[in-house]
Amino acid sequence: TVDVLQLTSLLGYKITPKLSLSALAEFRTTVIEDAFDPAYLDLGVGATWTPNDNLLVTVHPLNYNFVFASDDSQFESSLGAKILVDYTQELLEGVRLRSNLSGFLSYEDMEELSNFTWTTGINFTAFKGIGVGIEYAVRWNKQETRLLDDDIQQYFLIGLSYNL
């Protein structure tokens, strides 16, 4: 069972209608098993490009990936670049396709300290702002999988959302 809690916040200042200076905070951890051990916090600045209403591309060449863990010898924080790509398309009224790629590329050790998560799914509105969704995700993070046979984790997500 994969247990993931991810929170993302993006703040920007528009330079042009499609380009913004931006700051990003992204927090990811487990909650049920080994709560907050490890926990990842990305803080970075850079630019966000929105070529249309469906696509958002964020590149932050100045980003620090903080890793919090009880076993500091297995996990290491590092400086690098953060890339976030988010695509959303309404397929039918109330049915949306969403694909999200979030990646961190470490300047210190590209292979061992970098990570990415790619999630794609379909969400639909069930009742007055309450949504139901199913997603498929692929995640690569060598720091998390050092003791496993495979560096790539795959999982399905089923969830509820609320839209204000």
Side-chain angles (χ1 to χ4, degrees), residues 18-64:
K18 296 183 186 272
L19 188 64
S20 300
L21 292 175
S22 58
L24 175 77
E26 185 175 81
F27 180 74
R28 185 172 51 83
T29 188
T30 59
V31 177
I32 297 170
E33 188 176 321
D34 297 326
F36 301 98
D37 190 15
Y40 299 86
L41 174 63
D42 277 297
L43 297 174
V45 293
T48 298
W49 176 52
T50 51
N52 57 50
D53 291 340
N54 299 336
L55 182 63
L56 175 104
V57 179
T58 300
V59 178
H60 287 167
L62 184 57
N63 187 90
Y64 201 81

Side-chain angles (χ1 to χ4, degrees), residues 16-158:
T16 72
K18 296 183 186 272
L19 188 64
S20 300
L21 292 175
S22 58
L24 175 77
E26 185 175 81
F27 180 74
R28 185 172 51 83
T29 188
T30 59
V31 177
I32 297 170
E33 188 176 321
D34 297 326
F36 301 98
D37 190 15
Y40 299 86
L41 174 63
D42 277 297
L43 297 174
V45 293
T48 298
W49 176 52
T50 51
N52 57 50
D53 291 340
N54 299 336
L55 182 63
L56 175 104
V57 179
T58 300
V59 178
H60 287 167
L62 184 57
N63 187 90
Y64 201 81
N65 177 246
F66 295 93
V67 183
F68 306 99
S70 59
D71 182 7
D72 289 336
S73 64
Q74 185 175 346
F75 297 96
E76 189 176 335
S77 300
S78 69
L79 181 67
K82 184 73 174 181
I83 299 168
L84 178 71
V85 180
D86 194 76
Y87 178 79
T88 305
Q89 176 72 48
E90 187 164 25
L91 301 175
L92 302 167
E93 187 174 337
V95 179
R96 298 182 83 65
L97 169 72
R98 180 173 182 248
S99 189
N100 178 279
L101 173 67
S102 176
F104 172 74
L105 305 169
S106 174
Y107 294 144
E108 296 173 34
D109 188 340
M110 183 74 78
E111 187 173 330
E112 292 295 321
L113 302 179
S114 298
N115 63 72
F116 80 82
T117 302
W118 181 22
T119 307
T120 300
I122 293 179
N123 305 306
F124 65 91
T125 303
F127 178 75
K128 294 186 179 182
I130 296 174
V132 177
I134 183 165
E135 296 180 337
Y136 172 73
V138 176
R139 183 168 64 185
W140 176 77
N141 187 332
K142 280 198 152 189
Q143 289 195 81
E144 287 183 1
T145 59
R146 283 189 178 135
L147 303 176
L148 303 176
D149 294 334
D150 194 358
D151 288 340
I152 295 179
Q153 299 170 315
Q154 302 176 54
Y155 52 93
F156 282 96
L157 305 161
I158 299 172

